[in-house]
């Protein structure tokens, strides 16, 4: 649909660079690790109300709400949803020592404007995207332009890849889609959707699925001292030594799996990945014993059309020749999807990107496209969705930064895409 330059100019004039940067800074200053998103959700809901945008609070779990804002249309046109997660890659506390060797002072993780950048934990992943579509929604509202369809601005909980397993069972470990699945299961469907997760403002609409598996081996929990290896072979009595053979087999299978399952999507290849991400075994306070139990935790990123049961079969086939007793448990299964009927949304993004920035939109690189994001949930439920969002970079173990100009570009793109889609009459 050709853009009305006068109307689009009115909307763009409402996007204030300083206001956007400060909003990104404010969002980043509110700690929001997975499971602890209440404070930032409360802030966003209050911001929606102050900005004249209808706020909707969805309680996903007790004290864990999605924060949704609706810019109402007149009901005659197509609707567009924006999606961004409030939780951050790290907690910002000493709990992160399980993931990184050294921690910055927590004071350095607060949002701050440094020159032409916003810094702080979570600004790149993905509070810059949140701020950008919030400001875009406000620009549509304050411009006074009447839309035909609704614009739904959804800040959701629980997108970061964290999974309940073993003793880690609280809401602090329920991520990877719980907020967006609740959002859509409780009424917030739109005709199209944009996931504002970071992509360097490149476009993609095919994302990988994920399964996670726990593999456990067993030894003989007896004192090791005084025993001869000939009578107590380590690969029979020591669960950790047994696990080294399991690891070797999974690594060999993983290398083959990653080559065999490359997926050719409309925007380029998706790369599968097999990663042994955690291991636990034995008793650190009693290493004089043969360890009786050892477990590894494996994350498998799989392309669309590959099913978890097929992966389980492949892993079992890779391990059966070892002659080792083991247990294999799958504790997460999320499918990947290629978006269908996304062409009108893609065309809108292409035309508006060219109009705004004088260059063609690029597709996301395979390395960055080959992940799971909430885009998958929309496409799973038949809502055509793309991912396109601002991304910065990590500047230390946990701290991040992003160019303010990139946030402005994202807000401009979102505002005009919403103006375009939500000005179209429903067929």
């Amino acid at each position: 649909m050709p853009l009305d330059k006068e109307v689009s100019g009115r909307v763009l004039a409402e996007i204030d660079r300083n206001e956007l940067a400060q909003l990104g800074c404010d969002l980043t200053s509110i700690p929001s690790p997975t499971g602890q998103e209440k404070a930032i959700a409360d802030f966003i809901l209050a911001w929606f109300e102050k900005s004249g945008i209808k706020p909707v609070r969805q309680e996903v779990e007790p004290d864990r709400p999605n924060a949704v804002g609706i810019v109402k249309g007149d009901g005659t046109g197509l609707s567009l949803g924006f999606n961004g997660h409030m939780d951050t890659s790290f907690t910002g506390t000493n709990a992160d020592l399980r993931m990184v060797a050294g921690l910055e002072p927590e004071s350095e993780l607060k949002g701050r404007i440094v020159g032409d950048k916003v810094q702080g934990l979570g600004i790149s992943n993905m509070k810059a995207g949140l701020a950008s579509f919030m400001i875009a929604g406000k620009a549509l509202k304050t411009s006074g332009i009447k839309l035909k369809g609704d614009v739904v601005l959804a800040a959701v909980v629980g997108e970061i890849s964290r999974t309940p397993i073993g003793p880690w069972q609280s809401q602090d470990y329920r991520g990877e889609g719980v907020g967006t699945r609740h959002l859509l299961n409780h009424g917030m469907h739109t005709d199209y959707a944009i996931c504002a997760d970071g992509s360097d403002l490149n476009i993609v609409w095919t994302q990988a699925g994920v399964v996670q598996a726990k593999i456990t081996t067993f030894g003989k929990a007896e004192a090791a001292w005084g025993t001869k290896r000939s009578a107590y072979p380590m690969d029979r009595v020591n669960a950790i030594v047994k696990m080294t053979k399991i690891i070797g087999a999974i690594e060999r299978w993983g290398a083959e799996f990653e080559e065999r399952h490359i997926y050719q999507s409309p925007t380029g290849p998706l790369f599968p990945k097999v990663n042994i991400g955690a291991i636990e075994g034995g008793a650190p306070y009693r290493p004089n014993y043969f360890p009786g139990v050892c477990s590894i935790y494996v994350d498998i990123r799989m392309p669309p059309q590959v099913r978890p049961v097929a992966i389980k079969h492949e892993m079992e086939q890779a391990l059966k020749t070892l002659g080792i007793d083991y247990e294999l448990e799958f504790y997460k299964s999320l499918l990947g999807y290629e978006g269908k009927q996304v062409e009108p949304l893609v065309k809108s993004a292409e035309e508006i990107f060219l109009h705004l920035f004088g260059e063609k939109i690029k597709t996301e690189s395979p390395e960055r496209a080959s992940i799971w994001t909430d885009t998958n949930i929309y496409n799973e439920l038949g809502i055509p969705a793309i991912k396109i969002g601002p991304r910065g970079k990590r500047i230390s173990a946990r701290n991040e930064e992003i160019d303010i100009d990139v946030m402005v570009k994202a807000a401009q793109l979102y505002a005009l895409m919403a103006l375009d889609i939500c000005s179209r009459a429903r067929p």
Side-chain angles (χ1 to χ4, degrees), residues 392-415:
K393 63 181 181 180
R394 190 89 53 83
I395 56 174
S396 61
R398 298 173 294 173
N399 205 3
E400 302 165 2
E401 72 174 16
I402 194 168
D403 289 343
I404 297 170
D405 287 344
V406 173
M407 296 172 63
V408 172
K409 290 176 74 172
Q412 292 173 335
L413 179 66
Y414 296 155

PDB file of all heavy atoms in Angstrom, residues 392-415:
ATOM      1  N   GLY A 392      22.117  -4.583  19.882  1.00  0.00           N
ATOM      2  CA  GLY A 392      23.407  -4.000  20.209  1.00  0.00           C
ATOM      3  C   GLY A 392      24.450  -5.082  20.370  1.00  0.00           C
ATOM      4  O   GLY A 392      24.512  -6.018  19.570  1.00  0.00           O
ATOM      5  N   LYS A 393      25.217  -4.990  21.447  1.00  0.00           N
ATOM      6  CA  LYS A 393      26.261  -5.988  21.660  1.00  0.00           C
ATOM      7  C   LYS A 393      26.596  -6.067  23.146  1.00  0.00           C
ATOM      8  O   LYS A 393      26.300  -5.174  23.934  1.00  0.00           O
ATOM      9  CB  LYS A 393      27.519  -5.639  20.865  1.00  0.00           C
ATOM     10  CG  LYS A 393      28.171  -4.326  21.288  1.00  0.00           C
ATOM     11  CD  LYS A 393      29.406  -4.023  20.456  1.00  0.00           C
ATOM     12  CE  LYS A 393      30.069  -2.721  20.893  1.00  0.00           C
ATOM     13  NZ  LYS A 393      31.280  -2.411  20.079  1.00  0.00           N
ATOM     14  N   ARG A 394      27.234  -7.164  23.530  1.00  0.00           N
ATOM     15  CA  ARG A 394      27.748  -7.339  24.882  1.00  0.00           C
ATOM     16  C   ARG A 394      29.053  -6.560  24.993  1.00  0.00           C
ATOM     17  O   ARG A 394      29.922  -6.654  24.114  1.00  0.00           O
ATOM     18  CB  ARG A 394      27.981  -8.824  25.129  1.00  0.00           C
ATOM     19  CG  ARG A 394      28.291  -9.214  26.558  1.00  0.00           C
ATOM     20  CD  ARG A 394      27.061  -9.524  27.385  1.00  0.00           C
ATOM     21  NE  ARG A 394      26.186 -10.515  26.787  1.00  0.00           N
ATOM     22  CZ  ARG A 394      26.356 -11.824  26.878  1.00  0.00           C
ATOM     23  NH1 ARG A 394      27.403 -12.312  27.509  1.00  0.00           N
ATOM     24  NH2 ARG A 394      25.485 -12.642  26.339  1.00  0.00           N
ATOM     25  N   ILE A 395      29.224  -5.788  26.072  1.00  0.00           N
ATOM     26  CA  ILE A 395      30.451  -5.008  26.239  1.00  0.00           C
ATOM     27  C   ILE A 395      31.276  -5.493  27.430  1.00  0.00           C
ATOM     28  O   ILE A 395      32.389  -5.018  27.644  1.00  0.00           O
ATOM     29  CB  ILE A 395      30.152  -3.504  26.366  1.00  0.00           C
ATOM     30  CG1 ILE A 395      29.177  -3.224  27.509  1.00  0.00           C
ATOM     31  CG2 ILE A 395      29.631  -2.947  25.049  1.00  0.00           C
ATOM     32  CD1 ILE A 395      28.956  -1.734  27.767  1.00  0.00           C
ATOM     33  N   SER A 396      30.736  -6.418  28.211  1.00  0.00           N
ATOM     34  CA  SER A 396      31.484  -7.084  29.272  1.00  0.00           C
ATOM     35  C   SER A 396      30.744  -8.387  29.561  1.00  0.00           C
ATOM     36  O   SER A 396      29.915  -8.823  28.761  1.00  0.00           O
ATOM     37  CB  SER A 396      31.600  -6.194  30.513  1.00  0.00           C
ATOM     38  OG  SER A 396      30.327  -5.884  31.045  1.00  0.00           O
ATOM     39  N   ALA A 397      31.039  -9.011  30.687  1.00  0.00           N
ATOM     40  CA  ALA A 397      30.456 -10.328  30.954  1.00  0.00           C
ATOM     41  C   ALA A 397      28.937 -10.324  30.833  1.00  0.00           C
ATOM     42  O   ALA A 397      28.344 -11.228  30.251  1.00  0.00           O
ATOM     43  CB  ALA A 397      30.872 -10.806  32.345  1.00  0.00           C
ATOM     44  N   ARG A 398      28.290  -9.256  31.372  1.00  0.00           N
ATOM     45  CA  ARG A 398      26.822  -9.199  31.343  1.00  0.00           C
ATOM     46  C   ARG A 398      26.280  -7.889  30.780  1.00  0.00           C
ATOM     47  O   ARG A 398      25.114  -7.812  30.395  1.00  0.00           O
ATOM     48  CB  ARG A 398      26.265  -9.397  32.762  1.00  0.00           C
ATOM     49  CG  ARG A 398      26.607 -10.735  33.389  1.00  0.00           C
ATOM     50  CD  ARG A 398      26.158 -10.786  34.839  1.00  0.00           C
ATOM     51  NE  ARG A 398      26.901  -9.840  35.667  1.00  0.00           N
ATOM     52  CZ  ARG A 398      26.633  -9.583  36.936  1.00  0.00           C
ATOM     53  NH1 ARG A 398      25.638 -10.217  37.534  1.00  0.00           N
ATOM     54  NH2 ARG A 398      27.351  -8.716  37.626  1.00  0.00           N
ATOM     55  N   ASN A 399      27.095  -6.866  30.756  1.00  0.00           N
ATOM     56  CA  ASN A 399      26.629  -5.547  30.339  1.00  0.00           C
ATOM     57  C   ASN A 399      26.492  -5.464  28.814  1.00  0.00           C
ATOM     58  O   ASN A 399      27.220  -6.138  28.075  1.00  0.00           O
ATOM     59  CB  ASN A 399      27.591  -4.468  30.820  1.00  0.00           C
ATOM     60  CG  ASN A 399      26.927  -3.123  30.983  1.00  0.00           C
ATOM     61  OD1 ASN A 399      25.717  -2.985  30.801  1.00  0.00           O
ATOM     62  ND2 ASN A 399      27.710  -2.118  31.326  1.00  0.00           N
ATOM     63  N   GLU A 400      25.566  -4.627  28.358  1.00  0.00           N
ATOM     64  CA  GLU A 400      25.264  -4.495  26.935  1.00  0.00           C
ATOM     65  C   GLU A 400      25.159  -3.017  26.568  1.00  0.00           C
ATOM     66  O   GLU A 400      25.020  -2.156  27.444  1.00  0.00           O
ATOM     67  CB  GLU A 400      23.932  -5.193  26.598  1.00  0.00           C
ATOM     68  CG  GLU A 400      23.881  -6.658  26.945  1.00  0.00           C
ATOM     69  CD  GLU A 400      22.469  -7.240  26.936  1.00  0.00           C
ATOM     70  OE1 GLU A 400      21.517  -6.495  26.613  1.00  0.00           O
ATOM     71  OE2 GLU A 400      22.316  -8.418  27.257  1.00  0.00           O
ATOM     72  N   GLU A 401      25.210  -2.746  25.272  1.00  0.00           N
ATOM     73  CA  GLU A 401      24.966  -1.390  24.791  1.00  0.00           C
ATOM     74  C   GLU A 401      24.351  -1.439  23.404  1.00  0.00           C
ATOM     75  O   GLU A 401      24.461  -2.442  22.687  1.00  0.00           O
ATOM     76  CB  GLU A 401      26.253  -0.558  24.767  1.00  0.00           C
ATOM     77  CG  GLU A 401      27.232  -0.929  23.674  1.00  0.00           C
ATOM     78  CD  GLU A 401      28.443   0.003  23.589  1.00  0.00           C
ATOM     79  OE1 GLU A 401      28.682   0.755  24.558  1.00  0.00           O
ATOM     80  OE2 GLU A 401      29.152  -0.043  22.559  1.00  0.00           O
ATOM     81  N   ILE A 402      23.684  -0.334  23.035  1.00  0.00           N
ATOM     82  CA  ILE A 402      23.093  -0.211  21.709  1.00  0.00           C
ATOM     83  C   ILE A 402      23.115   1.247  21.292  1.00  0.00           C
ATOM     84  O   ILE A 402      23.020   2.154  22.140  1.00  0.00           O
ATOM     85  CB  ILE A 402      21.647  -0.764  21.687  1.00  0.00           C
ATOM     86  CG1 ILE A 402      21.152  -0.949  20.254  1.00  0.00           C
ATOM     87  CG2 ILE A 402      20.708   0.101  22.496  1.00  0.00           C
ATOM     88  CD1 ILE A 402      19.863  -1.739  20.153  1.00  0.00           C
ATOM     89  N   ASP A 403      23.249   1.481  19.989  1.00  0.00           N
ATOM     90  CA  ASP A 403      23.204   2.840  19.462  1.00  0.00           C
ATOM     91  C   ASP A 403      21.779   3.374  19.538  1.00  0.00           C
ATOM     92  O   ASP A 403      20.825   2.693  19.132  1.00  0.00           O
ATOM     93  CB  ASP A 403      23.670   2.863  18.000  1.00  0.00           C
ATOM     94  CG  ASP A 403      25.159   2.611  17.840  1.00  0.00           C
ATOM     95  OD1 ASP A 403      25.887   2.739  18.852  1.00  0.00           O
ATOM     96  OD2 ASP A 403      25.589   2.283  16.728  1.00  0.00           O
ATOM     97  N   ILE A 404      21.648   4.590  20.013  1.00  0.00           N
ATOM     98  CA  ILE A 404      20.323   5.210  20.082  1.00  0.00           C
ATOM     99  C   ILE A 404      19.730   5.350  18.689  1.00  0.00           C
ATOM    100  O   ILE A 404      18.520   5.161  18.493  1.00  0.00           O
ATOM    101  CB  ILE A 404      20.411   6.576  20.786  1.00  0.00           C
ATOM    102  CG1 ILE A 404      20.873   6.387  22.236  1.00  0.00           C
ATOM    103  CG2 ILE A 404      19.066   7.297  20.753  1.00  0.00           C
ATOM    104  CD1 ILE A 404      21.220   7.677  22.952  1.00  0.00           C
ATOM    105  N   ASP A 405      20.550   5.648  17.708  1.00  0.00           N
ATOM    106  CA  ASP A 405      20.046   5.804  16.341  1.00  0.00           C
ATOM    107  C   ASP A 405      19.411   4.515  15.823  1.00  0.00           C
ATOM    108  O   ASP A 405      18.470   4.556  15.026  1.00  0.00           O
ATOM    109  CB  ASP A 405      21.168   6.246  15.400  1.00  0.00           C
ATOM    110  CG  ASP A 405      21.559   7.707  15.608  1.00  0.00           C
ATOM    111  OD1 ASP A 405      20.785   8.444  16.251  1.00  0.00           O
ATOM    112  OD2 ASP A 405      22.643   8.110  15.121  1.00  0.00           O
ATOM    113  N   VAL A 406      19.921   3.364  16.247  1.00  0.00           N
ATOM    114  CA  VAL A 406      19.328   2.090  15.838  1.00  0.00           C
ATOM    115  C   VAL A 406      17.938   1.938  16.456  1.00  0.00           C
ATOM    116  O   VAL A 406      17.002   1.462  15.798  1.00  0.00           O
ATOM    117  CB  VAL A 406      20.241   0.910  16.241  1.00  0.00           C
ATOM    118  CG1 VAL A 406      19.562  -0.424  15.972  1.00  0.00           C
ATOM    119  CG2 VAL A 406      21.559   0.985  15.477  1.00  0.00           C
ATOM    120  N   MET A 407      17.796   2.367  17.691  1.00  0.00           N
ATOM    121  CA  MET A 407      16.481   2.329  18.338  1.00  0.00           C
ATOM    122  C   MET A 407      15.500   3.245  17.611  1.00  0.00           C
ATOM    123  O   MET A 407      14.334   2.894  17.426  1.00  0.00           O
ATOM    124  CB  MET A 407      16.607   2.744  19.804  1.00  0.00           C
ATOM    125  CG  MET A 407      17.451   1.797  20.649  1.00  0.00           C
ATOM    126  SD  MET A 407      17.783   2.442  22.325  1.00  0.00           S
ATOM    127  CE  MET A 407      16.132   2.515  23.000  1.00  0.00           C
ATOM    128  N   VAL A 408      15.974   4.416  17.199  1.00  0.00           N
ATOM    129  CA  VAL A 408      15.114   5.353  16.476  1.00  0.00           C
ATOM    130  C   VAL A 408      14.652   4.740  15.158  1.00  0.00           C
ATOM    131  O   VAL A 408      13.469   4.823  14.791  1.00  0.00           O
ATOM    132  CB  VAL A 408      15.841   6.690  16.235  1.00  0.00           C
ATOM    133  CG1 VAL A 408      15.014   7.596  15.318  1.00  0.00           C
ATOM    134  CG2 VAL A 408      16.114   7.398  17.560  1.00  0.00           C
ATOM    135  N   LYS A 409      15.576   4.114  14.451  1.00  0.00           N
ATOM    136  CA  LYS A 409      15.207   3.479  13.184  1.00  0.00           C
ATOM    137  C   LYS A 409      14.155   2.398  13.404  1.00  0.00           C
ATOM    138  O   LYS A 409      13.204   2.278  12.623  1.00  0.00           O
ATOM    139  CB  LYS A 409      16.452   2.882  12.508  1.00  0.00           C
ATOM    140  CG  LYS A 409      17.426   3.917  11.963  1.00  0.00           C
ATOM    141  CD  LYS A 409      18.683   3.280  11.394  1.00  0.00           C
ATOM    142  CE  LYS A 409      18.417   2.601  10.068  1.00  0.00           C
ATOM    143  NZ  LYS A 409      19.676   2.147   9.423  1.00  0.00           N
ATOM    144  N   ALA A 410      14.316   1.618  14.466  1.00  0.00           N
ATOM    145  CA  ALA A 410      13.333   0.577  14.764  1.00  0.00           C
ATOM    146  C   ALA A 410      11.969   1.189  15.063  1.00  0.00           C
ATOM    147  O   ALA A 410      10.940   0.716  14.558  1.00  0.00           O
ATOM    148  CB  ALA A 410      13.804  -0.270  15.946  1.00  0.00           C
ATOM    149  N   ALA A 411      11.934   2.248  15.865  1.00  0.00           N
ATOM    150  CA  ALA A 411      10.665   2.889  16.206  1.00  0.00           C
ATOM    151  C   ALA A 411       9.985   3.452  14.958  1.00  0.00           C
ATOM    152  O   ALA A 411       8.759   3.341  14.792  1.00  0.00           O
ATOM    153  CB  ALA A 411      10.898   3.999  17.232  1.00  0.00           C
ATOM    154  N   GLN A 412      10.757   4.043  14.067  1.00  0.00           N
ATOM    155  CA  GLN A 412      10.200   4.577  12.820  1.00  0.00           C
ATOM    156  C   GLN A 412       9.621   3.456  11.960  1.00  0.00           C
ATOM    157  O   GLN A 412       8.513   3.573  11.417  1.00  0.00           O
ATOM    158  CB  GLN A 412      11.292   5.330  12.049  1.00  0.00           C
ATOM    159  CG  GLN A 412      11.753   6.610  12.723  1.00  0.00           C
ATOM    160  CD  GLN A 412      12.958   7.224  12.018  1.00  0.00           C
ATOM    161  OE1 GLN A 412      13.735   6.525  11.350  1.00  0.00           O
ATOM    162  NE2 GLN A 412      13.130   8.530  12.157  1.00  0.00           N
ATOM    163  N   LEU A 413      10.370   2.369  11.832  1.00  0.00           N
ATOM    164  CA  LEU A 413       9.906   1.230  11.040  1.00  0.00           C
ATOM    165  C   LEU A 413       8.623   0.651  11.622  1.00  0.00           C
ATOM    166  O   LEU A 413       7.652   0.390  10.898  1.00  0.00           O
ATOM    167  CB  LEU A 413      11.004   0.164  10.990  1.00  0.00           C
ATOM    168  CG  LEU A 413      10.682  -1.121  10.226  1.00  0.00           C
ATOM    169  CD1 LEU A 413      10.511  -0.842   8.740  1.00  0.00           C
ATOM    170  CD2 LEU A 413      11.771  -2.171  10.443  1.00  0.00           C
ATOM    171  N   TYR A 414       8.596   0.452  12.942  1.00  0.00           N
ATOM    172  CA  TYR A 414       7.413  -0.112  13.582  1.00  0.00           C
ATOM    173  C   TYR A 414       6.198   0.795  13.421  1.00  0.00           C
ATOM    174  O   TYR A 414       5.082   0.324  13.156  1.00  0.00           O
ATOM    175  CB  TYR A 414       7.676  -0.349  15.068  1.00  0.00           C
ATOM    176  CG  TYR A 414       8.748  -1.366  15.375  1.00  0.00           C
ATOM    177  CD1 TYR A 414       9.451  -1.321  16.575  1.00  0.00           C
ATOM    178  CD2 TYR A 414       9.074  -2.387  14.483  1.00  0.00           C
ATOM    179  CE1 TYR A 414      10.434  -2.253  16.878  1.00  0.00           C
ATOM    180  CE2 TYR A 414      10.058  -3.316  14.778  1.00  0.00           C
ATOM    181  CZ  TYR A 414      10.739  -3.242  15.976  1.00  0.00           C
ATOM    182  OH  TYR A 414      11.710  -4.161  16.276  1.00  0.00           O
ATOM    183  N   ALA A 415       6.406   2.091  13.602  1.00  0.00           N
ATOM    184  CA  ALA A 415       5.272   3.028  13.518  1.00  0.00           C
ATOM    185  C   ALA A 415       4.644   3.005  12.128  1.00  0.00           C
ATOM    186  O   ALA A 415       3.410   2.962  11.986  1.00  0.00           O
ATOM    187  CB  ALA A 415       5.740   4.433  13.880  1.00  0.00           C
TER     188      ALA A 415
END
